[in-house]
Amino acid sequence: MSHHTENRRQLRLGLFVQPLGHHVSGWRLSQQQESPTDIEWLTWIARKAEEGKFDMFFVGDALATSVYRLPSTMARFEPLTLLSALAVNTRHIGLAATVSTTFSDPFSLARAFSSLDHISHGRAAWNVVTSFSTDVARNFSRDDMPSHAERYAVAHEFLDVTFKLWEGWQEGAVVHDKASGQYFVDDKIQAINHKGHHFQVQGPLNIDRSPQGRPVIIEAGSSADGQKLAAATAEVVFTAAATLEEAQSFYQAQKQQVEAAGRNPDHVLILPGVMPIVGRTREEAWATWRELNQLVDIDNGIKQLSTRFGMDLSPFPLDGPVPEAPAIEGGQSRVKLLTDLAERENLTLRELAAIAAGSRGHRVLVGTAEEIADNFQQWLEQGGADGFNIMPAIMPEQLSLFVELVIPELRRRGLFREEYQYNTLRENLGLPDPARG
């Protein structure tokens, strides 16, 4: 295919960063001995992603930990602190941080993200989440969590307040005129005087308008409340989809809701998570995948699989066939994906349990750069995705192989950028300036 197919839609790619790899056993296969709180290591990852021209470097977060967590999530940097350090060590890649509306304050958060947007010259993105674990509540002087509905009501108002604060400084508010002695244009800096159900905020923000006007807003959530919030406020939606059919129906439903909310559906990008297992040959890719799965804690895998199947699988022989799953409400697509896979690959219960635990429910794609590009192209062209949130299983090996092999293959097909075109994340994603709608 020709190189210059400018009219063709291009994939958007986020790098979902787990410093020790996304697969539960990834850290055991890495040739390197890295720490999730080593800034040199995270800087290397960000620069590698920038070399591949990824749209953004994305970090998840949680406000609690326990000894049962993976090494990457047991200990981690506070996201905005980390991204501020990376902002001065990178030039082009977007920097996305997860911050919960459940245990934050709109003024502080608006100020922190505006600061990151200034420090990075317009590359900040906020992954808006609500917290749901009681462990988190107990770290914030509460015994339990607000209800689902309450958390989403807070999130809606929280976004309303932060948007008002960011817009409170209009373009042209700073004139810096030495001759006249005028520094600010007072009527371009507005208090917001917000009095709502959950928040009362006077404003204005104590930092001037940031390069993007406001950070790019990312959300993930497949619940009805999550989709509704995204339709009204998100610009990027992270999702998990096991099959193209499942992806297409989510994609269509979400875009319709965006339109119903009076917004342009092209201005909300849908990026399913995917764990590519890249090999120089098919055999090499499958060998990596098998090796990862052999290292999974199998008891944990059987527990996870039992929860998915809605039945206790521990009495069944591990090296026997996968039992038939009973029909259950919700989560069926994930179960079908697993049972279809077991049938296709002729897997034992042990092998299937390892796969389910290892990828934590995201789609795994094993193969050569060509096979992975074929799949990405199919999902893009058949309305399953606008791009993907890439979850390398082993760091740095799988990220390096993706940048070295998959990205050039996507470029050959005209599906991915050769260079960053703009300075801000918002422009590189093709999203409008919030002030101009």
Side-chain angles (χ1 to χ4, degrees), residues 105-112 114 126 157-170 188-194 199-210 213-215:
D105 172 86
F107 191 92
S108 312
L109 181 135
R111 183 189 190 195
S114 186
W126 172 23
E157 189 179 335
F158 196 114
L159 280 158
D160 181 36
V161 176
T162 49
F163 285 3
K164 284 179 185 164
L165 286 166
W166 286 321
E167 291 305 323
W169 284 74
Q170 294 163 26
K188 291 194 176 206
I189 303 164
Q190 302 292 339
I192 67 166
N193 297 317
H194 176 93
F199 303 107
Q200 292 181 27
V201 183
Q202 178 184 287
L205 204 52
N206 56 349
I207 182 168
D208 54 329
R209 186 181 184 82
S210 74
R214 64 173 187 239

mmCIF file of all heavy atoms in Angstrom, residues 105-112 114 126 157-170 188-194 199-210 213-215:
data_model
loop_
_atom_site.group_PDB
_atom_site.id
_atom_site.type_symbol
_atom_site.label_atom_id
_atom_site.label_comp_id
_atom_site.label_asym_id
_atom_site.label_seq_id
_atom_site.Cartn_x
_atom_site.Cartn_y
_atom_site.Cartn_z
ATOM 1 N N ASP A 105 -10.317 17.442 45.460
ATOM 2 C CA ASP A 105 -11.013 18.704 45.598
ATOM 3 C C ASP A 105 -10.893 19.440 44.260
ATOM 4 O O ASP A 105 -9.797 19.513 43.709
ATOM 5 C CB ASP A 105 -10.303 19.465 46.714
ATOM 6 C CG ASP A 105 -10.807 20.876 46.812
ATOM 7 O OD1 ASP A 105 -11.809 21.072 47.493
ATOM 8 O OD2 ASP A 105 -10.195 21.760 46.181
ATOM 9 N N PRO A 106 -11.993 19.970 43.716
ATOM 10 C CA PRO A 106 -11.935 20.558 42.373
ATOM 11 C C PRO A 106 -10.888 21.664 42.211
ATOM 12 O O PRO A 106 -10.187 21.709 41.200
ATOM 13 C CB PRO A 106 -13.341 21.110 42.147
ATOM 14 C CG PRO A 106 -14.213 20.321 43.056
ATOM 15 C CD PRO A 106 -13.371 19.963 44.245
ATOM 16 N N PHE A 107 -10.766 22.554 43.202
ATOM 17 C CA PHE A 107 -9.824 23.669 43.054
ATOM 18 C C PHE A 107 -8.383 23.156 42.972
ATOM 19 O O PHE A 107 -7.623 23.524 42.076
ATOM 20 C CB PHE A 107 -9.978 24.684 44.198
ATOM 21 C CG PHE A 107 -9.223 25.961 43.950
ATOM 22 C CD1 PHE A 107 -9.839 27.041 43.328
ATOM 23 C CD2 PHE A 107 -7.875 26.089 44.312
ATOM 24 C CE1 PHE A 107 -9.130 28.226 43.071
ATOM 25 C CE2 PHE A 107 -7.166 27.252 44.059
ATOM 26 C CZ PHE A 107 -7.805 28.328 43.442
ATOM 27 N N SER A 108 -7.998 22.285 43.916
ATOM 28 C CA SER A 108 -6.629 21.763 43.919
ATOM 29 C C SER A 108 -6.331 20.977 42.654
ATOM 30 O O SER A 108 -5.251 21.075 42.086
ATOM 31 C CB SER A 108 -6.391 20.808 45.098
ATOM 32 O OG SER A 108 -6.847 21.384 46.276
ATOM 33 N N LEU A 109 -7.311 20.181 42.239
ATOM 34 C CA LEU A 109 -7.089 19.373 41.055
ATOM 35 C C LEU A 109 -6.977 20.227 39.798
ATOM 36 O O LEU A 109 -6.089 20.023 38.966
ATOM 37 C CB LEU A 109 -8.213 18.351 40.894
ATOM 38 C CG LEU A 109 -8.031 17.457 39.670
ATOM 39 C CD1 LEU A 109 -8.305 16.005 39.996
ATOM 40 C CD2 LEU A 109 -8.924 17.899 38.527
ATOM 41 N N ALA A 110 -7.843 21.216 39.659
ATOM 42 C CA ALA A 110 -7.786 22.101 38.490
ATOM 43 C C ALA A 110 -6.436 22.806 38.435
ATOM 44 O O ALA A 110 -5.822 22.948 37.375
ATOM 45 C CB ALA A 110 -8.922 23.124 38.546
ATOM 46 N N ARG A 111 -5.965 23.227 39.595
ATOM 47 C CA ARG A 111 -4.676 23.918 39.666
ATOM 48 C C ARG A 111 -3.508 22.987 39.301
ATOM 49 O O ARG A 111 -2.604 23.352 38.546
ATOM 50 C CB ARG A 111 -4.488 24.437 41.086
ATOM 51 C CG ARG A 111 -3.231 25.222 41.273
ATOM 52 C CD ARG A 111 -3.013 25.495 42.744
ATOM 53 N NE ARG A 111 -1.939 26.455 42.926
ATOM 54 C CZ ARG A 111 -1.334 26.665 44.083
ATOM 55 N NH1 ARG A 111 -1.725 25.983 45.162
ATOM 56 N NH2 ARG A 111 -0.362 27.528 44.183
ATOM 57 N N ALA A 112 -3.548 21.751 39.828
ATOM 58 C CA ALA A 112 -2.475 20.788 39.563
ATOM 59 C C ALA A 112 -2.412 20.421 38.077
ATOM 60 O O ALA A 112 -1.330 20.381 37.479
ATOM 61 C CB ALA A 112 -2.673 19.534 40.418
ATOM 62 N N SER A 114 -3.598 22.185 35.562
ATOM 63 C CA SER A 114 -3.195 23.366 34.803
ATOM 64 C C SER A 114 -1.675 23.529 34.887
ATOM 65 O O SER A 114 -1.006 23.832 33.896
ATOM 66 C CB SER A 114 -3.907 24.608 35.341
ATOM 67 O OG SER A 114 -3.623 25.702 34.513
ATOM 68 N N TRP A 126 -6.321 14.161 31.763
ATOM 69 C CA TRP A 126 -6.818 13.667 33.052
ATOM 70 C C TRP A 126 -7.737 12.488 32.815
ATOM 71 O O TRP A 126 -8.754 12.607 32.142
ATOM 72 C CB TRP A 126 -7.577 14.800 33.769
ATOM 73 C CG TRP A 126 -8.314 14.388 35.020
ATOM 74 C CD1 TRP A 126 -8.067 13.306 35.822
ATOM 75 C CD2 TRP A 126 -9.442 15.061 35.615
ATOM 76 N NE1 TRP A 126 -8.958 13.268 36.883
ATOM 77 C CE2 TRP A 126 -9.810 14.334 36.776
ATOM 78 C CE3 TRP A 126 -10.159 16.218 35.276
ATOM 79 C CZ2 TRP A 126 -10.876 14.715 37.586
ATOM 80 C CZ3 TRP A 126 -11.219 16.597 36.077
ATOM 81 C CH2 TRP A 126 -11.562 15.861 37.231
ATOM 82 N N GLU A 157 -20.654 16.995 38.945
ATOM 83 C CA GLU A 157 -20.495 18.354 39.476
ATOM 84 C C GLU A 157 -19.019 18.741 39.553
ATOM 85 O O GLU A 157 -18.636 19.885 39.279
ATOM 86 C CB GLU A 157 -21.159 18.489 40.855
ATOM 87 C CG GLU A 157 -21.199 19.942 41.307
ATOM 88 C CD GLU A 157 -21.872 20.154 42.655
ATOM 89 O OE1 GLU A 157 -22.715 19.319 43.066
ATOM 90 O OE2 GLU A 157 -21.550 21.177 43.302
ATOM 91 N N PHE A 158 -18.183 17.775 39.893
ATOM 92 C CA PHE A 158 -16.735 18.006 39.992
ATOM 93 C C PHE A 158 -16.188 18.495 38.649
ATOM 94 O O PHE A 158 -15.437 19.476 38.568
ATOM 95 C CB PHE A 158 -16.068 16.680 40.399
ATOM 96 C CG PHE A 158 -14.665 16.802 40.910
ATOM 97 C CD1 PHE A 158 -14.367 16.501 42.238
ATOM 98 C CD2 PHE A 158 -13.621 17.195 40.077
ATOM 99 C CE1 PHE A 158 -13.070 16.592 42.719
ATOM 100 C CE2 PHE A 158 -12.319 17.282 40.548
ATOM 101 C CZ PHE A 158 -12.039 16.981 41.865
ATOM 102 N N LEU A 159 -16.597 17.816 37.561
ATOM 103 C CA LEU A 159 -16.145 18.219 36.221
ATOM 104 C C LEU A 159 -16.688 19.593 35.849
ATOM 105 O O LEU A 159 -15.981 20.412 35.267
ATOM 106 C CB LEU A 159 -16.576 17.169 35.189
ATOM 107 C CG LEU A 159 -15.668 15.941 35.165
ATOM 108 C CD1 LEU A 159 -16.389 14.743 34.564
ATOM 109 C CD2 LEU A 159 -14.393 16.224 34.372
ATOM 110 N N ASP A 160 -17.934 19.834 36.205
ATOM 111 C CA ASP A 160 -18.547 21.131 35.940
ATOM 112 C C ASP A 160 -17.707 22.257 36.583
ATOM 113 O O ASP A 160 -17.385 23.264 35.948
ATOM 114 C CB ASP A 160 -19.977 21.103 36.503
ATOM 115 C CG ASP A 160 -20.719 22.404 36.251
ATOM 116 O OD1 ASP A 160 -20.506 23.001 35.175
ATOM 117 O OD2 ASP A 160 -21.500 22.815 37.138
ATOM 118 N N VAL A 161 -17.308 22.042 37.837
ATOM 119 C CA VAL A 161 -16.524 23.050 38.559
ATOM 120 C C VAL A 161 -15.130 23.209 37.946
ATOM 121 O O VAL A 161 -14.668 24.332 37.719
ATOM 122 C CB VAL A 161 -16.388 22.696 40.067
ATOM 123 C CG1 VAL A 161 -15.495 23.704 40.778
ATOM 124 C CG2 VAL A 161 -17.758 22.652 40.734
ATOM 125 N N THR A 162 -14.448 22.097 37.666
ATOM 126 C CA THR A 162 -13.086 22.223 37.111
ATOM 127 C C THR A 162 -13.124 22.885 35.739
ATOM 128 O O THR A 162 -12.282 23.727 35.435
ATOM 129 C CB THR A 162 -12.355 20.856 37.044
ATOM 130 O OG1 THR A 162 -13.200 19.895 36.442
ATOM 131 C CG2 THR A 162 -11.933 20.374 38.407
ATOM 132 N N PHE A 163 -14.120 22.543 34.908
ATOM 133 C CA PHE A 163 -14.225 23.184 33.593
ATOM 134 C C PHE A 163 -14.412 24.697 33.757
ATOM 135 O O PHE A 163 -13.777 25.494 33.070
ATOM 136 C CB PHE A 163 -15.405 22.609 32.787
ATOM 137 C CG PHE A 163 -15.154 21.226 32.223
ATOM 138 C CD1 PHE A 163 -13.982 20.519 32.485
ATOM 139 C CD2 PHE A 163 -16.110 20.617 31.419
ATOM 140 C CE1 PHE A 163 -13.767 19.244 31.958
ATOM 141 C CE2 PHE A 163 -15.905 19.339 30.886
ATOM 142 C CZ PHE A 163 -14.735 18.657 31.157
ATOM 143 N N LYS A 164 -15.284 25.087 34.684
ATOM 144 C CA LYS A 164 -15.523 26.527 34.908
ATOM 145 C C LYS A 164 -14.237 27.222 35.371
ATOM 146 O O LYS A 164 -13.941 28.341 34.951
ATOM 147 C CB LYS A 164 -16.610 26.746 35.958
ATOM 148 C CG LYS A 164 -18.037 26.497 35.477
ATOM 149 C CD LYS A 164 -18.982 26.739 36.667
ATOM 150 C CE LYS A 164 -20.419 26.411 36.398
ATOM 151 N NZ LYS A 164 -21.171 26.302 37.674
ATOM 152 N N LEU A 165 -13.499 26.564 36.269
ATOM 153 C CA LEU A 165 -12.245 27.160 36.758
ATOM 154 C C LEU A 165 -11.240 27.340 35.618
ATOM 155 O O LEU A 165 -10.616 28.391 35.491
ATOM 156 C CB LEU A 165 -11.639 26.302 37.874
ATOM 157 C CG LEU A 165 -12.339 26.369 39.233
ATOM 158 C CD1 LEU A 165 -11.860 25.239 40.150
ATOM 159 C CD2 LEU A 165 -12.104 27.739 39.916
ATOM 160 N N TRP A 166 -11.086 26.307 34.784
ATOM 161 C CA TRP A 166 -10.128 26.415 33.674
ATOM 162 C C TRP A 166 -10.560 27.493 32.679
ATOM 163 O O TRP A 166 -9.726 28.207 32.137
ATOM 164 C CB TRP A 166 -9.995 25.067 32.961
ATOM 165 C CG TRP A 166 -9.202 24.045 33.735
ATOM 166 C CD1 TRP A 166 -8.074 24.270 34.479
ATOM 167 C CD2 TRP A 166 -9.472 22.644 33.854
ATOM 168 N NE1 TRP A 166 -7.629 23.086 35.034
ATOM 169 C CE2 TRP A 166 -8.467 22.071 34.677
ATOM 170 C CE3 TRP A 166 -10.472 21.807 33.336
ATOM 171 C CZ2 TRP A 166 -8.423 20.706 34.976
ATOM 172 C CZ3 TRP A 166 -10.426 20.451 33.640
ATOM 173 C CH2 TRP A 166 -9.412 19.911 34.454
ATOM 174 N N GLU A 167 -11.878 27.581 32.444
ATOM 175 C CA GLU A 167 -12.368 28.581 31.483
ATOM 176 C C GLU A 167 -12.426 29.987 32.083
ATOM 177 O O GLU A 167 -12.625 30.962 31.366
ATOM 178 C CB GLU A 167 -13.767 28.184 30.972
ATOM 179 C CG GLU A 167 -13.773 26.947 30.094
ATOM 180 C CD GLU A 167 -12.836 27.046 28.896
ATOM 181 O OE1 GLU A 167 -12.704 28.134 28.320
ATOM 182 O OE2 GLU A 167 -12.220 26.019 28.541
ATOM 183 N N GLY A 168 -12.281 30.057 33.428
ATOM 184 C CA GLY A 168 -12.345 31.363 34.103
ATOM 185 C C GLY A 168 -11.240 32.318 33.659
ATOM 186 O O GLY A 168 -11.375 33.535 33.769
ATOM 187 N N TRP A 169 -10.140 31.764 33.191
ATOM 188 C CA TRP A 169 -9.086 32.586 32.583
ATOM 189 C C TRP A 169 -9.270 32.483 31.073
ATOM 190 O O TRP A 169 -9.045 31.429 30.485
ATOM 191 C CB TRP A 169 -7.697 32.061 32.948
ATOM 192 C CG TRP A 169 -7.268 32.392 34.341
ATOM 193 C CD1 TRP A 169 -7.700 31.835 35.502
ATOM 194 C CD2 TRP A 169 -6.281 33.361 34.712
ATOM 195 N NE1 TRP A 169 -7.056 32.396 36.577
ATOM 196 C CE2 TRP A 169 -6.168 33.336 36.124
ATOM 197 C CE3 TRP A 169 -5.467 34.255 33.993
ATOM 198 C CZ2 TRP A 169 -5.296 34.154 36.837
ATOM 199 C CZ3 TRP A 169 -4.592 35.069 34.695
ATOM 200 C CH2 TRP A 169 -4.512 35.027 36.099
ATOM 201 N N GLN A 170 -9.700 33.602 30.465
ATOM 202 C CA GLN A 170 -9.926 33.560 29.026
ATOM 203 C C GLN A 170 -8.622 33.811 28.274
ATOM 204 O O GLN A 170 -7.643 34.274 28.847
ATOM 205 C CB GLN A 170 -10.972 34.606 28.637
ATOM 206 C CG GLN A 170 -12.337 34.292 29.217
ATOM 207 C CD GLN A 170 -13.254 35.508 29.197
ATOM 208 O OE1 GLN A 170 -13.094 36.411 28.373
ATOM 209 N NE2 GLN A 170 -14.215 35.531 30.106
ATOM 210 N N LYS A 188 -11.172 39.569 31.867
ATOM 211 C CA LYS A 188 -10.964 38.257 31.235
ATOM 212 C C LYS A 188 -10.603 37.187 32.274
ATOM 213 O O LYS A 188 -10.236 36.071 31.935
ATOM 214 C CB LYS A 188 -9.883 38.340 30.160
ATOM 215 C CG LYS A 188 -10.337 39.147 28.967
ATOM 216 C CD LYS A 188 -9.439 38.959 27.763
ATOM 217 C CE LYS A 188 -10.034 39.742 26.589
ATOM 218 N NZ LYS A 188 -9.668 39.223 25.293
ATOM 219 N N ILE A 189 -10.678 37.582 33.550
ATOM 220 C CA ILE A 189 -10.396 36.627 34.633
ATOM 221 C C ILE A 189 -11.618 36.629 35.542
ATOM 222 O O ILE A 189 -11.884 37.603 36.249
ATOM 223 C CB ILE A 189 -9.130 37.045 35.416
ATOM 224 C CG1 ILE A 189 -7.941 37.152 34.458
ATOM 225 C CG2 ILE A 189 -8.832 36.044 36.530
ATOM 226 C CD1 ILE A 189 -6.763 37.919 35.028
ATOM 227 N N GLN A 190 -12.371 35.541 35.480
ATOM 228 C CA GLN A 190 -13.676 35.535 36.149
ATOM 229 C C GLN A 190 -13.735 34.620 37.366
ATOM 230 O O GLN A 190 -13.270 33.483 37.306
ATOM 231 C CB GLN A 190 -14.753 35.024 35.156
ATOM 232 C CG GLN A 190 -14.875 35.843 33.872
ATOM 233 C CD GLN A 190 -15.420 37.241 34.115
ATOM 234 O OE1 GLN A 190 -16.067 37.492 35.135
ATOM 235 N NE2 GLN A 190 -15.159 38.149 33.189
ATOM 236 N N ALA A 191 -14.348 35.103 38.432
ATOM 237 C CA ALA A 191 -14.706 34.215 39.545
ATOM 238 C C ALA A 191 -15.807 33.295 39.012
ATOM 239 O O ALA A 191 -16.505 33.658 38.063
ATOM 240 C CB ALA A 191 -15.233 35.023 40.711
ATOM 241 N N ILE A 192 -15.971 32.119 39.622
ATOM 242 C CA ILE A 192 -17.028 31.244 39.101
ATOM 243 C C ILE A 192 -18.233 31.177 40.036
ATOM 244 O O ILE A 192 -19.325 30.824 39.604
ATOM 245 C CB ILE A 192 -16.494 29.828 38.785
ATOM 246 C CG1 ILE A 192 -16.080 29.070 40.054
ATOM 247 C CG2 ILE A 192 -15.330 29.893 37.805
ATOM 248 C CD1 ILE A 192 -15.877 27.579 39.826
ATOM 249 N N ASN A 193 -18.012 31.523 41.329
ATOM 250 C CA ASN A 193 -19.113 31.531 42.308
ATOM 251 C C ASN A 193 -20.034 30.322 42.184
ATOM 252 O O ASN A 193 -21.255 30.452 42.064
ATOM 253 C CB ASN A 193 -19.918 32.833 42.179
ATOM 254 C CG ASN A 193 -19.024 34.020 42.503
ATOM 255 O OD1 ASN A 193 -18.241 33.971 43.459
ATOM 256 N ND2 ASN A 193 -19.081 35.065 41.688
ATOM 257 N N HIS A 194 -19.455 29.158 42.182
ATOM 258 C CA HIS A 194 -20.232 27.925 42.055
ATOM 259 C C HIS A 194 -20.814 27.526 43.414
ATOM 260 O O HIS A 194 -20.097 27.400 44.394
ATOM 261 C CB HIS A 194 -19.331 26.797 41.530
ATOM 262 C CG HIS A 194 -20.028 25.467 41.468
ATOM 263 N ND1 HIS A 194 -20.664 25.015 40.328
ATOM 264 C CD2 HIS A 194 -20.205 24.499 42.411
ATOM 265 C CE1 HIS A 194 -21.201 23.820 40.579
ATOM 266 N NE2 HIS A 194 -20.936 23.491 41.836
ATOM 267 N N PHE A 199 -20.278 20.985 46.056
ATOM 268 C CA PHE A 199 -19.140 21.909 46.096
ATOM 269 C C PHE A 199 -19.581 23.363 46.087
ATOM 270 O O PHE A 199 -20.575 23.721 45.455
ATOM 271 C CB PHE A 199 -18.220 21.667 44.885
ATOM 272 C CG PHE A 199 -17.715 20.255 44.783
ATOM 273 C CD1 PHE A 199 -18.208 19.387 43.816
ATOM 274 C CD2 PHE A 199 -16.745 19.775 45.666
ATOM 275 C CE1 PHE A 199 -17.753 18.070 43.717
ATOM 276 C CE2 PHE A 199 -16.280 18.462 45.580
ATOM 277 C CZ PHE A 199 -16.789 17.618 44.609
ATOM 278 N N GLN A 200 -18.791 24.179 46.813
ATOM 279 C CA GLN A 200 -18.973 25.638 46.758
ATOM 280 C C GLN A 200 -17.602 26.230 46.505
ATOM 281 O O GLN A 200 -16.710 26.115 47.337
ATOM 282 C CB GLN A 200 -19.537 26.150 48.073
ATOM 283 C CG GLN A 200 -20.968 25.674 48.277
ATOM 284 C CD GLN A 200 -21.558 26.180 49.570
ATOM 285 O OE1 GLN A 200 -21.158 27.233 50.069
ATOM 286 N NE2 GLN A 200 -22.491 25.434 50.120
ATOM 287 N N VAL A 201 -17.445 26.824 45.320
ATOM 288 C CA VAL A 201 -16.118 27.299 44.906
ATOM 289 C C VAL A 201 -16.229 28.702 44.311
ATOM 290 O O VAL A 201 -16.942 28.912 43.336
ATOM 291 C CB VAL A 201 -15.504 26.337 43.847
ATOM 292 C CG1 VAL A 201 -14.099 26.795 43.478
ATOM 293 C CG2 VAL A 201 -15.488 24.892 44.367
ATOM 294 N N GLN A 202 -15.510 29.634 44.895
ATOM 295 C CA GLN A 202 -15.582 31.007 44.418
ATOM 296 C C GLN A 202 -14.749 31.237 43.153
ATOM 297 O O GLN A 202 -15.236 31.779 42.175
ATOM 298 C CB GLN A 202 -15.096 31.945 45.534
ATOM 299 C CG GLN A 202 -15.076 33.415 45.109
ATOM 300 C CD GLN A 202 -14.493 34.294 46.214
ATOM 301 O OE1 GLN A 202 -15.132 34.528 47.218
ATOM 302 N NE2 GLN A 202 -13.263 34.733 46.025
ATOM 303 N N GLY A 203 -13.471 30.839 43.175
ATOM 304 C CA GLY A 203 -12.594 31.143 42.031
ATOM 305 C C GLY A 203 -12.208 32.598 42.054
ATOM 306 O O GLY A 203 -12.565 33.330 42.989
ATOM 307 N N PRO A 204 -11.463 33.116 41.065
ATOM 308 C CA PRO A 204 -10.920 32.347 39.944
ATOM 309 C C PRO A 204 -9.728 31.469 40.362
ATOM 310 O O PRO A 204 -9.255 31.567 41.492
ATOM 311 C CB PRO A 204 -10.461 33.433 38.966
ATOM 312 C CG PRO A 204 -10.138 34.604 39.839
ATOM 313 C CD PRO A 204 -11.080 34.535 41.000
ATOM 314 N N LEU A 205 -9.282 30.647 39.430
ATOM 315 C CA LEU A 205 -8.115 29.810 39.642
ATOM 316 C C LEU A 205 -6.882 30.708 39.767
ATOM 317 O O LEU A 205 -6.833 31.766 39.146
ATOM 318 C CB LEU A 205 -7.969 28.886 38.424
ATOM 319 C CG LEU A 205 -7.231 27.568 38.569
ATOM 320 C CD1 LEU A 205 -7.764 26.744 39.738
ATOM 321 C CD2 LEU A 205 -7.338 26.765 37.285
ATOM 322 N N ASN A 206 -5.895 30.288 40.571
ATOM 323 C CA ASN A 206 -4.703 31.127 40.758
ATOM 324 C C ASN A 206 -3.564 30.729 39.816
ATOM 325 O O ASN A 206 -2.399 30.697 40.187
ATOM 326 C CB ASN A 206 -4.232 31.062 42.218
ATOM 327 C CG ASN A 206 -3.970 29.638 42.667
ATOM 328 O OD1 ASN A 206 -4.319 28.685 41.981
ATOM 329 N ND2 ASN A 206 -3.346 29.498 43.824
ATOM 330 N N ILE A 207 -3.941 30.378 38.573
ATOM 331 C CA ILE A 207 -2.927 30.104 37.548
ATOM 332 C C ILE A 207 -3.565 30.467 36.215
ATOM 333 O O ILE A 207 -4.773 30.277 36.028
ATOM 334 C CB ILE A 207 -2.449 28.628 37.599
ATOM 335 C CG1 ILE A 207 -1.360 28.370 36.550
ATOM 336 C CG2 ILE A 207 -3.606 27.641 37.439
ATOM 337 C CD1 ILE A 207 -0.629 27.034 36.735
ATOM 338 N N ASP A 208 -2.793 31.032 35.309
ATOM 339 C CA ASP A 208 -3.399 31.528 34.066
ATOM 340 C C ASP A 208 -3.772 30.382 33.120
ATOM 341 O O ASP A 208 -3.374 29.240 33.317
ATOM 342 C CB ASP A 208 -2.490 32.545 33.355
ATOM 343 C CG ASP A 208 -1.091 32.015 33.099
ATOM 344 O OD1 ASP A 208 -0.597 31.204 33.894
ATOM 345 O OD2 ASP A 208 -0.486 32.413 32.087
ATOM 346 N N ARG A 209 -4.545 30.734 32.107
ATOM 347 C CA ARG A 209 -5.065 29.749 31.156
ATOM 348 C C ARG A 209 -3.926 28.893 30.609
ATOM 349 O O ARG A 209 -2.882 29.389 30.216
ATOM 350 C CB ARG A 209 -5.762 30.476 29.999
ATOM 351 C CG ARG A 209 -6.453 29.534 29.031
ATOM 352 C CD ARG A 209 -7.108 30.294 27.870
ATOM 353 N NE ARG A 209 -7.834 29.352 27.016
ATOM 354 C CZ ARG A 209 -9.056 28.906 27.275
ATOM 355 N NH1 ARG A 209 -9.695 29.305 28.359
ATOM 356 N NH2 ARG A 209 -9.645 28.060 26.458
ATOM 357 N N SER A 210 -4.168 27.579 30.565
ATOM 358 C CA SER A 210 -3.084 26.689 30.146
ATOM 359 C C SER A 210 -3.071 26.515 28.631
ATOM 360 O O SER A 210 -4.032 26.860 27.954
ATOM 361 C CB SER A 210 -3.208 25.347 30.866
ATOM 362 O OG SER A 210 -4.268 24.592 30.330
ATOM 363 N N GLY A 213 -6.034 25.108 27.086
ATOM 364 C CA GLY A 213 -7.310 25.594 27.616
ATOM 365 C C GLY A 213 -7.714 24.710 28.781
ATOM 366 O O GLY A 213 -7.975 25.181 29.874
ATOM 367 N N ARG A 214 -7.769 23.428 28.541
ATOM 368 C CA ARG A 214 -7.924 22.472 29.640
ATOM 369 C C ARG A 214 -7.332 21.155 29.176
ATOM 370 O O ARG A 214 -7.211 20.896 27.975
ATOM 371 C CB ARG A 214 -9.378 22.322 30.059
ATOM 372 C CG ARG A 214 -10.300 21.742 29.013
ATOM 373 C CD ARG A 214 -11.672 21.483 29.634
ATOM 374 N NE ARG A 214 -12.547 20.786 28.725
ATOM 375 C CZ ARG A 214 -13.724 21.251 28.306
ATOM 376 N NH1 ARG A 214 -14.145 22.440 28.688
ATOM 377 N NH2 ARG A 214 -14.475 20.534 27.500
ATOM 378 N N PRO A 215 -6.950 20.296 30.125
ATOM 379 C CA PRO A 215 -6.368 19.019 29.717
ATOM 380 C C PRO A 215 -7.381 18.188 28.933
ATOM 381 O O PRO A 215 -8.591 18.414 29.038
ATOM 382 C CB PRO A 215 -6.025 18.331 31.042
ATOM 383 C CG PRO A 215 -6.796 19.031 32.083
ATOM 384 C CD PRO A 215 -7.064 20.411 31.584
#
